[in-house]
Amino acid sequence: MCGIIGIISQSNVSIRLLEGLKRLEYRGYDSAGIATITDGGIDRRRAEGKLEKLIDVVNDHPLEGHIGIGHTRWATHGGVTKSNAHPMANETVAVVHNGIIENFASLKENLIKRGAVFTSDTDTEVVMHIVTFHMQEGLTPFKAVQKALSQIKGAFALAFLFKNHDNMLIAARRGSPLVLGMTESELFIGSDAIALASWVKTLCYLEEGDIATLTLNDTTPEIIISDADGEIVQRPLRQTNITVDAISKGAFTHYMLKEIFEQPLTISDTLQSLISIEDESFHSPLLALNKPFSKIRIIACGTSYYAGMVAKYWFEKLAHIHVDVEIASEFRYRTPVFDGQTLNLFITQSGETIDTMAALTLVKQNNETCLSIVNVSESSIARASDFVIHTMAGPEIGVASTKAFTAQLVVLAAICLKFAKERCTISETEWTQYFQSFAKLPGCISELLRNDGIYHQLATHLCQVHHALYLGRGVNFPIALEGALKLKEISYIHAEGYPAGELKHGPIALIDPKMPVIVLAPHDEWFEKTLSNVQEVLARGAKVIIFSDEKGTKQIIEQTKTMKCLEIVTLPESNILTAPILFTLPIQLLAYYTAHMKGTDVDQPRNLAKSVTVE
Ligand code: G6P
């Protein structure tokens, strides 16, 4: 969601503010703006819609200044309008904000009574007025911000710019992340490390309650951080390994396509970070998982939740562990029973999803162990967990998760094997077979990607429909859900995922020749049952697309001779651990090519955000 950028330099910053915002586009936004100090006063440019509009405005009315802040806004309080776009600014202060000021309504009422005139519907504007009042009372910018923060409730990240202070920015974090960067002569603020890639290598992450004052005295940059108690603190410096290459599209038309094609590598990297295929052993992140537990509770949102659903099948079948899978936004507001014996496993690409974070806080308050699987290593969830396993997917820019999902599955499969080994629930032969199938997986995926023409062809049919149904059983049921989610997210075609066995309990009523049914059916223990369901939909005139393997394809052809499927796509052979990973690729490609043909904004679908930092 919203993105923040701030720069203090000795040269004009407006172009680089826009460049930073461009890198934050992936988070999802609907308006943008920048503000600088020119001749001691605050000047700003804002525009509704895509960044190109703001760039046009800045080209028509250039913005001078060596210091500035910028923002991409994902609307929460107040519609998508220029007047609601950040920075919120008056003559004294300009502010950009991620997150939500929960008590904004009561604060606004009081501010209006004191004479404040509001020009937007945002919650952010209250912060601007409170800081302004405190500065009018004679407080320094830092003290004014500190006092204002003691009055506001919620989860947020803020960056401020002040009149007559053309060498100082203030940044504050509570709930939403903020990162600072410093070179020999410049200072930066970003809502994530991606915003600052190419400018800085050394980063400093603010912690909860921190307020940072960034000052450039002549050519000397300085950062002073005070913690929630007002004490001056040092925060560790970290080196970022995010390169500009890693966050560029390269030769691909979209980030999503690039990220789909990166999967042979990201899967292989993630595997290698956890297991040694040659000697069939585990590496340290898995070995560190040594706390006893009686059951597992997996908590996540969106695509990450579907990864958790797959893991439930794996852990139960292969390691004989009881698993509950929870949607974080529901879990956090239920009254779960904590027995102190449960391993809580949080799955999150961004590590910042607010509901997942709140669920983690609840679990910690109840003294249970928290393990997280995250892709962003410095994220809030990674830092708050007892154990962390990193997915090696690299930065994922496309809003619709692809390579992070398959990397999460790889981590979960490796954890499952570790537990199965410890509990002696799989034989030596199975153990070796799983390791060997892992070794072959990246190659199988490369092969599948080399033959992507078929997905392009299928998309010509799919892009004309209004609805689609995805079916799967067992470990491929969550992949059917993920397939439907991918299609609706980026092509805006209504899609539902169902366990094939549930078909007769409702969705079969929707079947007609206009309803494509996409079936995930490797020749596994659920195959025969799924094939019966295929017969049922074929008999009702549905256009069926089946993804199977060689053995399955033969049987499908034999059994559906009279009622032909629209298409049968044969994938490489798989087993219970590799099938959900392998069968994810077709549903990603299908969604991508369909959306591309429809001409939607694949990387930044309407209304969606990459990192959901509001409830
Ligand atoms: C958003 C993203 C999804 C993601 C979900 C959970 O909805 O658009 O791609 O699956 O958040 O995000 P997380 O970062 O916690 O995995």
Side-chain angles (χ1 to χ4, degrees):
M1 290 183 156
C2 311
I4 288 178
I5 183 88
I7 308 177
I8 317 179
S9 173
Q10 289 170 300
S11 54
N12 191 313
V13 292
S14 62
I15 301 301
R16 280 193 297 163
L17 286 173
L18 293 171
E19 210 180 294
L21 292 183
K22 190 92 200 135
R23 285 202 281 262
L24 288 171
E25 271 193 301
Y26 82 101
R27 294 166 71 98
Y29 72 105
D30 35 46
S31 60
I34 58 174
T36 61
I37 302 275
T38 17
D39 300 327
I42 294 167
D43 200 359
R44 68 176 162 165
R45 306 285 180 266
R46 297 180 295 167
E48 181 190 319
K50 288 283 171 194
L51 211 52
E52 278 60 38
K53 291 205 181 151
L54 178 65
I55 294 171
D56 287 345
V57 172
V58 175
N59 283 340
D60 292 345
H61 305 280
L63 199 54
E64 301 297 323
H66 294 180
I67 180 168
I69 53 177
H71 190 257
T72 44
R73 172 176 188 253
W74 189 89
T76 57
H77 294 67
V80 180
T81 59
K82 181 179 163 189
S83 59
N84 286 334
H86 302 201
M88 290 289 126
N90 56 17
E91 281 202 348
T92 314
V93 61
V95 58
V96 290
H97 163 219
N98 285 359
I100 287 186
I101 311 296
E102 283 167 6
N103 57 337
F104 91 100
S106 57
L107 290 172
K108 188 170 178 174
E109 214 180 293
N110 287 337
L111 287 161
I112 290 171
K113 280 186 197 147
R114 289 181 69 185
V117 178
F118 279 77
T119 58
S120 79
D121 307 315
T122 65
D123 51 342
T124 311
E125 197 177 342
V126 299
V127 183
M128 180 196 84
H129 287 296
I130 298 175
V131 172
T132 306
F133 276 125
H134 292 325
M135 286 178 69
Q136 284 164 358
E137 287 159 4
L139 295 186
T140 61
F142 173 78
K143 288 281 177 203
V145 169
Q146 197 179 37
K147 194 166 174 190
L149 295 194
S150 69
Q151 293 164 268
I152 61 180
K153 290 193 185 130
F156 48 78
L158 297 157
F160 298 88
L161 183 68
F162 305 90
K163 178 187 175 184
N164 293 333
H165 290 272
D166 64 358
N167 66 343
M168 182 189 73
L169 291 176
I170 291 183
R173 172 202 164 125
R174 197 191 294 162
S176 298
L178 264 189
V179 60
L180 310 180
M182 194 201 287
T183 66
E184 278 176 2
S185 58
E186 292 183 312
L187 288 153
F188 300 89
I189 302 172
S191 41
D192 64 35
I194 291 176
L196 308 187
S198 89
W199 299 327
V200 278
K201 281 278 154 254
T202 307
L203 301 174
C204 171
Y205 287 85
L206 291 188
E207 301 203 353
E208 278 305 281
D210 281 356
I211 306 178
T213 308
L214 297 84
T215 326
L216 190 64
N217 292 313
D218 296 325
T219 57
T220 314
E222 186 185 32
I223 297 177
I224 297 174
I225 302 173
S226 352
D227 67 9
D229 301 323
E231 300 293 327
I232 305 290
V233 283
Q234 300 289 331
R235 298 296 178 208
L237 298 178
R238 319 239 180 230
Q239 295 302 309
T240 171
N241 53 7
I242 298 176
T243 59
V244 175
D245 269 0
I247 51 166
S248 79
K249 270 191 282 208
F252 289 91
T253 36
H254 290 99
Y255 282 107
M256 183 177 175
L257 191 62
K258 177 187 174 229
E259 287 158 5
I260 291 174
F261 274 80
E262 277 173 347
Q263 289 175 104
L265 190 66
T266 52
I267 286 173
S268 165
D269 286 351
T270 306
L271 269 174
Q272 283 177 35
S273 70
L274 299 173
I275 61 177
S276 166
I277 293 189
E278 296 75 44
D279 52 17
E280 297 180 6
S281 62
F282 299 112
H283 291 324
S284 44
L286 282 180
L287 295 176
L289 270 186
N290 50 14
K291 269 208 147 183
F293 62 88
S294 61
K295 63 180 191 332
I296 295 178
R297 180 189 289 125
I298 300 179
I299 306 173
C301 299
T303 289
S304 299
Y305 171 73
Y306 295 150
M309 284 180 75
V310 173
K312 177 178 169 74
Y313 287 87
W314 286 341
F315 288 141
E316 288 180 352
K317 187 170 175 78
L318 302 180
H320 303 184
I321 301 170
H322 174 95
V323 178
D324 294 316
V325 193
E326 301 274 2
I327 288 180
S329 56
E330 286 298 313
F331 175 79
R332 65 179 287 196
Y333 289 118
R334 288 215 321 271
T335 33
V337 177
F338 295 96
D339 60 4
Q341 302 292 311
T342 304
L343 172 65
N344 294 271
L345 204 170
F346 298 85
I347 309 173
T348 167
Q349 184 282 130
S350 62
E352 299 296 347
T353 303
I354 198 151
D355 287 318
T356 310
M357 183 67 210
L360 187 141
T361 308
L362 178 65
V363 167
K364 284 185 81 172
Q365 282 162 355
N366 286 279
N367 302 317
E368 286 191 355
T369 310
C370 297
L371 159 67
S372 64
I373 298 176
V374 296
N375 197 42
V376 180
S377 50
E378 285 299 332
S379 56
S380 308
I381 291 175
R383 289 193 285 156
S385 303
D386 302 308
F387 299 95
V388 184
I389 300 183
H390 300 282
T391 43
M392 298 295 164
E396 189 179 68
I397 308 289
V399 163
S401 186
T402 53
K403 61 175 181 171
F405 176 64
T406 49
Q408 289 167 347
L409 289 177
V410 167
V411 173
L412 290 161
I415 297 177
C416 177
L417 278 184
K418 180 192 187 277
F419 291 155
K421 177 88 174 171
E422 283 167 0
R423 289 164 181 246
C424 302
T425 47
I426 56 172
S427 68
E428 286 297 323
T429 325
E430 284 173 298
W431 167 260
T432 302
Q433 278 168 359
Y434 288 132
F435 267 83
Q436 284 170 355
S437 65
F438 273 158
K440 287 193 209 141
L441 188 59
C444 291
I445 290 175
S446 297
E447 184 192 324
L448 191 154
L449 289 168
R450 273 195 295 277
N451 301 315
D452 75 325
I454 182 70
Y455 307 101
H456 205 269
Q457 197 182 310
L458 289 170
T460 55
H461 171 73
L462 223 52
C463 74
Q464 295 171 38
V465 306
H466 297 293
H467 309 275
L469 194 60
Y470 285 72
L471 300 178
R473 275 180 187 256
V475 280
N476 280 306
F477 158 51
I479 307 304
L481 293 173
E482 172 63 4
L485 177 68
K486 282 287 91 83
L487 189 73
K488 70 183 119 178
E489 273 182 315
I490 61 168
S491 74
Y492 315 143
I493 293 171
H494 169 232
E496 300 279 350
Y498 260 92
E502 271 293 292
L503 195 64
K504 286 193 273 297
H505 300 290
I508 201 160
L510 300 170
I511 303 289
D512 68 12
K514 283 193 224 132
M515 172 74 96
V517 180
I518 295 137
V519 188
L520 308 171
H523 198 278
D524 56 13
E525 61 186 281
W526 300 280
F527 178 77
E528 304 287 344
K529 304 273 177 214
T530 310
L531 197 50
S532 307
N533 302 132
V534 169
Q535 303 274 18
E536 289 158 10
V537 289
L538 279 173
R540 285 159 181 84
K543 297 267 184 296
V544 177
I545 298 167
I546 306 194
F547 297 103
S548 188
D549 46 32
E550 218 165 289
K551 214 167 162 192
T553 301
K554 264 193 208 150
Q555 205 168 323
I556 296 162
I557 294 173
E558 268 167 33
Q559 292 189 19
T560 59
K561 267 185 196 135
T562 48
M563 303 172 291
K564 275 180 111 186
C565 295
L566 181 69
E567 194 69 58
I568 307 169
V569 183
T570 309
L571 305 184
E573 208 188 312
S574 56
N575 58 38
I576 188 171
L577 282 184
T578 54
I581 303 173
L582 199 63
F583 278 69
T584 294
L585 274 287
I587 58 102
Q588 293 174 343
L589 289 164
L590 208 53
Y592 173 79
Y593 286 122
T594 304
H596 189 32
M597 273 175 208
K598 289 195 74 183
T600 56
D601 189 347
V602 174
D603 284 334
Q604 291 151 37
R606 68 182 176 208
N607 307 334
L608 296 181
K610 184 76 191 155
S611 161
V612 178
T613 49
V614 295
E615 286 189 47

